[in-house]
Amino acid sequence: MLDRREGLGLIPDQTNSEPRMKICDHAVVAMHYTLTNAAEEVLDSSEGQDPLIYLHGTGGVIPGLEAALLDKVVGDQFTAVIEPDDAYGAVNPSLVQVVPRSAFEGVESIEAGMRFTASDGQGDQQSVAIAEVNGDEITVDGNHPLAGQTLHFEVEVISVRAATEEEISHGHVHP
Ligand code: ZN
């Protein structure tokens, strides 16, 4: 029998003796993820980079992903399929507009797929993509590039810790 009083230098195994923290509000979560669309094209991934770190409960990740992460623990791996309503929303047709080429002052060539920052003159800026070029009529799309898409996330939880008071009051993670 092992008896710690004999001075064997045994210390409790923290990883086995303490419950692993479940992800909840005010947890700082690090995770690796790969995002694919319905066509199984990889749109984004943390592979080969540092894990994504966020403060749970502050909207740091899209709502569907945050919901899927709730109660997970370090080491958990899972797939989350997230409908547009819980991701970047439905496509809003009113954000698709035809503007004259003259609106792109100083731009030599305009091609579908290019992105521009549009300003409404009141300080608000919006990222828009060129959807179509038809002579002097340029169709721009101000929807988020992932609007209307069902997203598939492969997730691995790398670490979970409690946020500090300062992190909670700031609403973001400190390094
Ligand atoms: Zn801060």
Side-chain angles (χ1 to χ4, degrees):
M1 256 191 58
L2 294 173
D3 186 340
R4 288 201 190 114
R5 286 170 302 180
E6 299 284 346
L8 290 172
L10 295 175
I11 53 167
D13 185 340
Q14 298 285 347
T15 55
N16 287 332
S17 63
E18 288 189 1
R20 291 175 296 178
M21 181 177 170
K22 286 183 176 179
I23 294 174
C24 59
D25 281 358
H26 300 160
V28 173
V29 181
M31 65 174 175
H32 275 300
Y33 69 95
T34 295
L35 166 62
T36 53
N37 61 15
E40 296 183 7
E41 297 165 327
V42 174
L43 303 176
D44 192 13
S45 177
S46 64
E47 209 170 298
Q49 304 173 50
D50 289 339
L52 174 71
I53 300 175
Y54 78 98
L55 177 58
H56 196 87
T58 60
V61 297
I62 56 172
L65 185 56
E66 190 160 72
L69 281 154
L70 185 67
D71 287 339
K72 296 289 193 293
V73 298
V74 61
D76 277 354
Q77 296 185 38
F78 61 95
T79 301
V81 178
I82 301 170
E83 301 296 330
D85 276 355
D86 293 319
Y88 293 96
V91 172
N92 181 350
S94 74
L95 294 178
V96 180
Q97 295 173 21
V98 177
V99 298
R101 185 179 287 271
S102 60
F104 297 85
E105 209 177 323
V107 182
E108 295 236 335
S109 79
I110 301 169
E111 290 169 32
M114 294 171 79
R115 296 198 72 87
F116 290 88
T117 299
S119 174
D120 66 358
Q122 292 167 12
D124 277 339
Q125 295 195 324
Q126 185 183 26
S127 175
V128 301
I130 305 302
E132 198 183 327
V133 177
N134 188 3
D136 279 343
E137 295 190 335
I138 315 291
T139 305
V140 299
D141 185 349
N143 284 285
H144 189 281
L146 297 179
Q149 296 207 37
T150 297
L151 306 179
H152 298 241
F153 280 91
E154 293 284 340
V155 177
E156 179 180 4
V157 180
I158 303 298
S159 69
V160 182
R161 67 167 170 85
T164 64
E165 291 291 329
E166 198 181 23
E167 286 172 324
I168 292 168
S169 72
H170 288 194
H172 57 232
V173 176
H174 290 166

